[in-house]
Amino acid sequence: MIWAAPIEILIIMCTYGLLFWLIAWGSQKISSLLTPHSSLLALLLKSLGLISLSYIHPFSFDWFKPELMFVESYLGIEKFRFAIILGAIVLSLWRKQILFLFLVVLAYTPTPSSVPQIDKNITLLTTHTSVEDKWNEALHAQQFQALFSAIDQAIDNHKKLIILPESVFPVFLNRSETLLEKLQNRAKHISIVTGGLYWDGKTPRNSTYIFTDGKIQVANKVLLVPFGEANPLPDFLSDWVNEVFYDGAVDYKASSKVSDYTIDGITYRNAICFEATSEKLYEGHPKNMIVLSNNGWFHPSVEASLQKLLLQYYSKKYGTTIYHSVNMSDSYIVENGWAFNPK
C-alpha cells in the first residue's frame, strides 16, 4: 500500500510540529513571567527543548537528531558539542553580537586521517526494483534469475561474500525448497547474506538469511517500522487501520533480541533497513554491521539521504563499520562516519 506512506509521514510531521510549538510557546510563556525584560531565558529554554527532542521518539521514530548536520564537518556530533554550538548561537542572538559565534570552535573534533580500507572480497549488490514490481509474482522468475546471475558473477570474480538488499526474495524463503537449494549450491563457493520473508506457521517476519560454511542462519528483524510493518496504535484502532489502509494484512512480528553472526571469522551485527537507524542496534558497540534496505517505499524522496546521514552518525559515534546493500538507491560502506562506494 505505497499510497499510505505519505499518511505515515504526515502523522510524524504533525507530532513533531506540535512538540516544536509546545517548546516555543512554553519558553515564551515562562520567560514572560520570570524575566519579562530579557530574551535570554526564552532562548535558553528553546535550546534545551531542541536538545531534549532528540530523546523523544514518537511512534518509535528516533530520526530527529539536529547534530546530524555536523556529521561531515569538523564539528563534533556529541551532545555536549551540540550544546556548545547552541550556546554560541544563543549568546550571539541575546547580545546581538556575531563574534560570539566564534565559540563554535570549542566544538571542533579532529577527523580521521587514515584512508578507509575497502574489503575487496565483499560485493554489495544494488537493485532497482520498484515496490509494484517487487510484489508482482509474474515478475519473480525474472527478478530471481537476475539475483542468481549477480551471485554467479561474484563467484567468478572470486569474492568471498555477497550481500543482497532487504526482502529481495519477497517470498517465505524458508518454505521455498527450490530457492533454498539454489542458494545453498552457490554458498559452497561464496557466503551469501540476503533478505527474505520468514513464516513460522503463525506470523510473518522480515528476515536476513545467511548462507555460509554449509549452514543456513536466519536473523529476524528486531525493530519494525511503525505503520509499515507493525501498528503502534491500541488494538481497537490498530485493527481498523490495518483493515482500511493495509487490506486486512496482519502485522509482522519482531524478534526479542538483536542477532550477530560470523562469516570468515568476522562477527557482524544484523540490521534490516529502519532498525539500523536506531540507537538500540548499536548496543554493545558492534565493530561490524551488515544492513539490508529497501528504499523503494519512499522513492523518490530524501529518505535515502537521511538514512545515510543516520548511519554515518552511528558509525562515527560507535566506531561501527557498516556494509549497506540497498534497493532503489546506491549501496555503500560507512567507516568512521564516512560513506563511500566500494566499487
Side-chain angles (χ1 to χ4, degrees):
M1 302 298 291
I2 193 169
W3 60 268
I7 299 176
E8 173 186 354
I9 297 173
L10 181 62
I11 292 173
I12 296 170
M13 286 171 52
C14 291
T15 303
Y16 272 113
L18 177 62
L19 291 174
F20 272 112
W21 179 82
L22 288 173
I23 290 171
W25 178 82
S27 299
Q28 291 298 133
K29 198 72 173 178
I30 294 172
S31 178
S32 63
L33 292 173
L34 300 180
T35 57
H37 303 297
S38 175
S39 62
L40 178 59
L41 181 58
L43 291 170
L44 288 173
L45 291 174
K46 289 175 183 177
S47 298
L48 182 61
L50 188 59
I51 294 174
S52 300
L53 271 182
S54 61
Y55 295 101
I56 300 174
H57 309 146
F59 306 110
S60 300
F61 272 98
D62 58 349
W63 286 10
F64 184 78
K65 299 183 184 298
E67 57 270 31
L68 280 181
M69 68 182 78
F70 305 119
V71 163
E72 293 187 345
S73 76
Y74 290 103
L75 301 178
I77 59 171
E78 296 84 355
K79 291 296 183 186
F80 78 91
R81 287 194 168 93
F82 183 56
I84 291 173
I85 295 170
L86 289 178
I89 296 173
V90 166
L91 289 174
S92 180
L93 292 173
W94 178 49
R95 303 300 296 179
K96 295 181 173 56
Q97 178 54 263
I98 196 171
L99 292 177
F100 282 109
L101 289 179
F102 284 100
L103 291 173
V104 299
V105 299
L106 297 176
Y108 168 80
T109 185
T111 57
S113 57
S114 60
V115 178
Q117 299 297 315
I118 301 176
D119 191 339
K120 298 185 181 297
N121 291 315
I122 297 178
T123 293
L124 292 178
L125 183 65
T126 299
T127 56
H128 300 278
T129 307
S130 68
V131 172
E132 293 85 354
D133 288 347
K134 183 175 183 177
W135 299 103
N136 185 347
E137 293 185 10
L139 300 176
H140 281 181
Q142 177 184 346
Q143 294 169 8
F144 296 168
Q145 183 55 50
L147 296 175
F148 288 126
S149 296
I151 296 173
D152 292 338
Q153 182 64 49
I155 293 172
D156 292 340
N157 292 336
H158 307 291
K159 302 292 185 178
K160 292 185 177 180
L161 169 63
I162 182 170
I163 305 171
L164 286 67
E166 173 190 10
S167 59
V168 73
F169 290 99
V171 296
F172 295 119
L173 198 52
N174 62 312
R175 299 297 181 98
S176 177
E177 294 184 6
T178 301
L179 291 177
L180 285 178
E181 183 179 357
K182 290 182 178 181
L183 288 166
Q184 283 180 296
N185 287 337
R186 287 167 172 79
K188 296 175 182 177
H189 310 286
I190 188 173
S191 294
I192 303 169
V193 176
T194 183
L197 304 182
Y198 182 87
W199 177 255
D200 62 5
K202 296 181 180 179
T203 53
R205 295 178 186 267
N206 190 357
S207 306
T208 298
Y209 288 78
I210 304 98
F211 298 82
T212 186
D213 296 329
K215 298 180 295 184
I216 303 176
Q217 183 178 347
V218 179
N220 296 316
K221 195 171 186 178
V222 176
L223 299 176
L224 302 179
V225 180
F227 299 107
E229 294 172 319
N231 202 316
L233 298 174
D235 289 341
F236 72 93
L237 282 176
S238 179
D239 293 339
W240 178 82
V241 170
N242 285 348
E243 185 65 35
V244 173
F245 295 101
Y246 301 104
D247 296 332
V250 298
D251 289 346
Y252 281 84
K253 188 172 182 179
S255 178
S256 59
K257 60 181 180 179
V258 298
S259 298
D260 294 329
Y261 51 85
T262 301
I263 299 176
D264 294 329
I266 300 175
T267 300
Y268 299 92
R269 173 66 50 85
N270 179 68
I272 302 176
C273 202
F274 166 73
E275 62 183 0
T277 61
S278 176
E279 198 100 29
K280 180 176 180 178
L281 264 288
Y282 297 86
E283 293 177 354
H285 292 68
K287 187 175 181 181
N288 299 285
M289 176 182 287
I290 289 179
V291 182
L292 316 181
S293 290
N294 173 27
N295 290 339
W297 292 103
F298 299 98
H299 180 82
S301 74
V302 298
E303 180 268 342
S305 297
L306 177 56
Q307 180 188 48
K308 180 185 284 190
L309 283 174
L310 285 162
L311 295 188
Q312 289 178 259
Y313 172 85
Y314 286 121
S315 171
K316 200 170 187 177
K317 183 175 181 179
Y318 292 101
T320 303
T321 298
I322 301 171
Y323 302 86
H324 191 196
S325 177
V326 193
N327 176 53
M328 293 303 288
S329 60
D330 291 338
S331 299
Y332 50 86
I333 298 173
V334 185
E335 185 174 336
N336 294 323
W338 295 96
F340 54 93
N341 192 305
K343 293 182 181 180

